[in-house]
Structures are given as structure tokens and as C-alpha cells.
């Protein structure tokens, strides 16, 4: 992780995938890569997978799909948070793939957080073919981090409850 974080520049855009249960720090690390990218003068966009899917579907309905895909392709680094918490229908799956593919082909940075292993992506995408090709494009040049442990939020909640009982 530090090798990616410390070597971000215009010719070395971050490409990372954080896989793990909720509360283990995936989003924190993804945002840290985004912040480091901003400090290097790179353009960064942070979005959730659900928000990205919704914006693509809405743009398609309004005949503004090319504009929306270009908006998601424009930043040098795109951070997609919470992939796996919301299922994509057929149209959403295809639109998500278009963005991932366009960014991959352009050599742009991509940071993704997910609670699912790649073998489970067929559960969120409309079919096995789209799931396979999305995973293929995302992992091609990415560092993959499998994160384990107890939820930090759960730990914080326990500490708070102990403190309140003492008071």
C-alpha cells in the first residue's frame, strides 16, 4: 500500500482494490490514495457504486449518456466505494462495464472498495459474462488488498458503551 501511496504521480496513477468486510478500513485507505493524488495535482472523483449506477441510468434516460461516461472518464483517479452492496440490473451492469472499460483502455487510475470476493461478482452483476469482464479490467494492473479483522465501527461502539456505563 505504501509503495502505491508514496509513488503516485501523473505517470503512476493508483490502481488498487480493497476487499473485505464492513468496517475494516477499505474506504479510509481508498480516500487516502485519493487525497495523496490530489496533493500531487491529479484530478480525483469519489463516488459510491450505487450513485455511479444511478447517475449512468439517469443520464441514459435523458439522452446524456456520453456526457456522463465522459464525466466519469475525465478524472485521472476514480474511486468507487461500496461495490457489492447494491445489485445492478442488466442495463446498470452494461453501463458500469462501459466506464470501467473506457478507463482501463485510457490507462487511468481506479480504486475500488468491495465487500465481495471476485468469485461473488456474479451476484451483483446481471450475468456471469459482465461480472467476468469487469473483474478482468479492474484487476489487470491493480494491487489487490484482502483486509480482515473486526469492524472498527463495532469496536468504537463497544468503547463508547463502556464509557457511557461508567458515567
Amino acid at each position: 500500500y505504501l509503495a502505491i501511496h508514496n509513488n503516485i504521480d501523473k505517470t503512476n496513477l493508483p490502481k488498487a482494490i480493497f476487499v473485505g468486510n464492513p468496517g475494516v478500513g477499505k474506504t479510509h485507505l481508498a480516500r487516502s490514495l485519493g487525497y495523496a493524488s490530489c496533493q500531487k495535482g491529479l484530478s480525483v472523483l469519489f463516488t459510491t457504486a450505487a450513485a455511479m449506477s444511478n447517475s449512468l441510468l439517469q443520464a441514459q434516460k435523458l439522452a446524456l449518456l456520453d456526457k456522463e461516461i465522459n464525466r466519469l472518464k475525465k478524472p485521472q483517479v476514480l474511486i468507487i466505494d461500496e461495490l457489492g452492496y447494491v445489485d445492478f440490473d442488466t442495463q446498470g451492469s452494461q453501463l458500469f462495464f462501459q466506464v470501467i472499460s473506457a478507463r482501463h483502455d485510457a490507462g487511468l487510475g481506479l480504486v475500488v472498495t468491495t465487500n465481495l470476493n471476485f468469485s461473488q461478482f456474479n451476484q451483483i452483476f446481471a450475468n456471469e459474462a459482465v461480472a467476468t469482464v469487469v473483474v478482468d479490467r479492474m484487476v489487470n494492473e491493480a494491487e489487490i488488498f484482502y483486509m480482515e479483522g473486526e469492524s472498527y465501527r463495532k469496536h468504537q461502539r463497544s468503547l463508547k458503551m463502556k464509557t457511557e456505563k461508567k458515567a
Side-chain angles (χ1 to χ4, degrees):
Y1 173 82
L2 288 176
I4 295 171
H5 184 276
N6 295 335
N7 293 302
I8 293 171
D9 65 29
K10 290 181 182 181
T11 61
N12 192 28
L13 300 172
K15 296 172 184 166
I17 302 171
F18 298 98
V19 181
N21 291 326
V24 295
K26 301 178 304 290
T27 300
H28 180 79
L29 293 174
R31 286 179 185 239
S32 178
L33 290 177
Y35 182 73
S37 298
C38 287
Q39 288 181 313
K40 299 288 181 146
L42 302 174
S43 57
V44 177
L45 176 63
F46 179 94
T47 186
T48 64
M52 183 173 134
S53 176
N54 290 338
S55 71
L56 287 164
L57 290 167
Q58 184 65 22
Q60 187 175 45
K61 288 178 186 174
L62 299 173
L64 298 170
L65 184 57
D66 287 342
K67 184 177 179 181
E68 182 62 12
I69 288 176
N70 285 333
R71 182 184 77 84
L72 294 167
K73 187 180 165 189
K74 184 177 180 181
Q76 291 162 300
V77 180
L78 176 63
I79 301 170
I80 304 172
D81 195 28
E82 301 178 342
L83 181 60
Y85 290 97
V86 177
D87 295 345
F88 297 100
D89 63 10
T90 301
Q91 196 60 38
S93 295
Q94 292 170 350
L95 295 173
F96 188 90
F97 165 71
Q98 285 182 40
V99 172
I100 298 302
S101 182
R103 292 189 61 81
H104 173 267
D105 292 348
L108 296 168
L110 180 66
V111 179
V112 177
T113 71
T114 181
N115 63 318
L116 298 177
N117 288 316
F118 301 123
S119 63
Q120 297 172 299
F121 272 34
N122 61 345
Q123 297 172 14
I124 58 170
F125 291 102
N127 61 58
E128 187 79 30
V130 173
T132 300
V133 75
V134 166
V135 169
D136 179 66
R137 299 294 195 287
M138 286 191 335
V139 304
N140 184 41
E141 296 178 2
E143 291 291 331
I144 302 166
F145 299 91
Y146 293 96
M147 302 175 66
E148 298 177 351
E150 186 176 309
S151 169
Y152 181 76
R153 286 184 287 276
K154 182 179 176 184
H155 175 72
Q156 288 298 101
R157 192 170 30 252
S158 295
L159 290 176
K160 184 178 179 184
M161 290 175 68
K162 287 178 184 177
T163 304
E164 289 174 355
K165 285 182 182 179
K166 290 180 182 179

